[in-house]
Amino acid sequence: LHTDLDVGSRNIKYVLAGEGAGTIFVINEKTGDIHAMKRLDREEKAEYTLTAQVINRDTNEPMEPPSEFTIKVQDINDNAPEFNNGPYQASVPEMSEV
């Protein structure tokens, strides 16, 4: 996260708010870089909505409107299926009920 107002000025501070801000997600207040502090699991929570804002470090006044964004967690198959004692064979009669 970076603003066009950041031209190497030391009076800019990046602030993060929303779901998991400060615990799961942290922002480097000087650079605007956002990092996840723990491994995310889609089965636990599929997405997080956060708000970032640039404020003046000296006055604590916003320098531009807040930006809202969503972090969508991608799934990896961490519980791969196992088929033991295979191969399996089955049949379903035609016109069977679901």
Side-chain angles (χ1 to χ4, degrees):
L1 175 74
H2 297 281
T3 177
D4 292 338
L5 299 173
D6 190 354
V7 289
S9 176
R10 289 195 170 102
N11 69 336
I12 286 179
K13 180 167 80 171
Y14 294 93
V15 180
L16 190 64
E19 301 173 89
T23 55
I24 299 170
F25 301 100
V26 295
I27 191 167
N28 181 315
E29 66 179 36
K30 294 179 183 175
T31 65
D33 295 339
I34 299 173
H35 299 277
M37 300 305 290
K38 72 172 203 165
R39 185 178 206 94
L40 304 176
D41 186 356
R42 190 191 60 76
E43 281 85 12
E44 187 179 307
K45 188 159 178 69
E47 61 183 47
Y48 297 85
T49 301
L50 297 164
T51 303
Q53 191 165 28
V54 179
I55 63 172
N56 184 304
R57 186 180 296 277
D58 300 326
T59 65
N60 279 335
E61 294 293 321
M63 297 181 74
E64 59 184 36
S67 298
E68 183 176 288
F69 59 96
T70 302
I71 295 175
K72 293 186 178 188
V73 181
Q74 298 291 315
D75 191 28
I76 59 168
N77 196 357
D78 52 356
N79 298 314
E82 294 182 21
F83 298 99
N84 299 319
N85 305 321
Y88 298 98
Q89 193 171 41
S91 62
V92 178
E94 191 172 335
M95 304 298 288
S96 293
E97 291 185 30
V98 176

